C-alpha cells in the first residue's frame, strides 16, 4: 500500500488535559499475573511483526524498537512509554502475526488503548490485557469482528475515529502495513519504516 504523508503534525495534548483513568487508577488486582488456564501464551519474536514506540523529542519525530516482552505485557508497555522523553507523551504500536495491531498511548497518568480485532484477546497476551483493562468480554465465535478501545486515540494527531475504524476493519491487509499507514498519517512514516527495517 502506498500512502502519502498527511499535512497534520503529531502533537499530543499536554498531560492533564485528559481526565480518563490511567493505569494507576486501576486496582492492584489488575496487575496480578493472570491465573486462568486459557490465558494466551506469549508471542515469540517470530510472531511479533513490529513493536515500536513513537514520540517527539524537541519536536523531532523519533521511533524506538521495543523489546519482545513489551509486546506481551500492557503494564510493562505503559511503564516504558511513560519513561520516554517525548514532548507530550508517546505511542506504542505492535503488530502480531500479520493479523492484528495494538495502539497504546501514554501521556503522564493518561492511558488510551486500541485493539484492531477483539478476537485477538484469545490469542495474544497484550490483546487480552487490553480486553481486561477495558472490562470488555471477548466476542463469541458467532459474532462479527469488532475493535476494542478508544478510536479517538489519534484524532488530535490527524487520524480521526472513522478513519482508524476503517483501517482496523481491513482484515485482508497485513497489520504491519496498516500500522505503517497510521504512522504515515501522523507524520511518523519514515521513522516507522526505519524501525521496521531495523527490527
Amino acid at each position: 500500500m502506498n500512502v502519502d504523508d498527511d499535512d497534520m503534525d503529531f502533537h499530543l495534548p499536554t498531560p492533564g488535559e485528559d481526565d480518563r483513568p490511567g493505569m494507576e487508577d486501576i486496582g492492584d488486582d489488575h496487575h496480578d499475573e493472570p491465573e486462568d488456564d486459557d490465558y494466551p501464551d506469549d508471542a515469540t519474536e517470530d510472531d511479533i511483526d513490529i513493536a515500536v514506540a513513537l514520540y517527539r523529542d524537541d519536536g523531532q519525530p523519533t521511533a524506538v524498537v521495543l523489546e519482545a516482552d513489551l509486546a506481551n505485557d500492557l503494564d510493562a508497555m505503559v511503564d516504558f512509554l511513560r519513561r520516554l522523553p517525548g514532548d507530550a507523551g508517546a505511542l506504542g504500536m505492535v503488530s502480531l502475526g500479520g493479523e492484528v495491531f495494538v495502539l497504546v498511548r501514554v501521556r503522564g497518568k493518561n492511558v488510551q488503548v486500541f485493539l484492531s480485532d477483539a478476537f485477538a484477546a484469545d490469542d495474544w497476551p497484550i490483546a487480552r490485557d487490553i480486553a481486561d483493562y477495558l472490562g470488555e468480554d471477548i466476542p463469541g465465535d458467532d459474532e462479527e469482528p469488532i475493535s476494542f478501545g478508544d478510536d479517538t486515540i489519534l484524532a488530535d494527531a490527524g487520524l480521526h475515529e472513522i478513519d482508524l475504524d476503517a483501517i482496523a476493519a481491513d482484515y485482508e491487509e497485513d497489520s504491519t502495513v496498516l500500522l505503517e499507514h497510521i504512522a504515515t498519517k501522523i507524520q511518523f512514516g519514515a521513522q516507522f519504516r526505519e524501525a521496521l527495517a531495523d527490527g
Side-chain angles (χ1 to χ4, degrees):
M1 178 191 307
N2 292 323
V3 288
D4 295 324
D5 283 357
D6 228 292
D7 291 329
M8 303 295 292
D9 283 333
F10 184 34
H11 294 294
L12 302 178
T14 303
E17 290 182 357
D18 187 341
D19 61 0
R20 283 173 284 198
M23 299 303 267
E24 294 89 346
D25 301 311
I26 304 299
D28 290 339
D29 290 343
H30 173 74
H31 300 284
D32 293 342
E33 285 296 319
E35 296 179 357
D36 52 310
D37 293 336
D38 66 344
Y39 194 82
D41 293 333
D42 279 358
T44 67
E45 290 189 8
D46 289 339
D47 296 323
I48 301 166
D49 309 309
I50 189 170
V52 63
L54 306 180
Y55 61 97
R56 286 188 181 274
D57 192 7
D58 289 332
Q60 296 301 311
T62 304
V64 175
V65 177
L66 303 178
E67 297 293 332
D69 61 333
L70 298 181
N72 282 304
D73 188 323
L74 179 60
D75 289 339
M77 168 80 78
V78 168
D79 288 343
F80 180 86
L81 294 175
R82 187 168 285 138
R83 293 195 299 269
L84 291 176
D87 296 334
L91 175 69
M93 308 175 96
V94 177
S95 171
L96 296 164
E99 297 179 347
V100 61
F101 69 80
V102 167
L103 303 175
V104 181
R105 186 174 177 182
V106 179
R107 294 170 285 169
K109 292 184 177 181
N110 301 312
V111 176
Q112 294 168 277
V113 295
F114 185 84
L115 172 64
S116 64
D117 184 351
F119 287 111
D122 276 331
D123 300 321
W124 308 108
I126 196 167
R128 177 67 64 86
D129 288 349
I130 287 175
D132 291 345
Y133 175 62
L134 296 170
E136 297 278 7
D137 293 326
I138 303 170
D141 292 339
D142 58 342
E143 296 182 62
E144 293 293 320
I146 59 169
S147 59
F148 276 166
D150 188 349
D151 58 5
T152 69
I153 188 170
L154 295 172
D156 61 308
L159 184 64
H160 299 290
E161 54 266 40
I162 190 170
D163 300 314
L164 179 56
D165 289 336
I167 291 170
D170 187 357
Y171 298 109
E172 299 302 314
E173 184 59 272
D174 187 286
S175 52
T176 307
V177 174
L178 297 178
L179 282 184
E180 182 182 352
H181 189 183
I182 292 170
T184 301
K185 285 290 187 180
I186 60 174
Q187 296 293 290
F188 279 82
Q191 291 73 27
F192 180 92
R193 287 185 286 275
E194 289 172 9
L196 184 59
D198 291 342

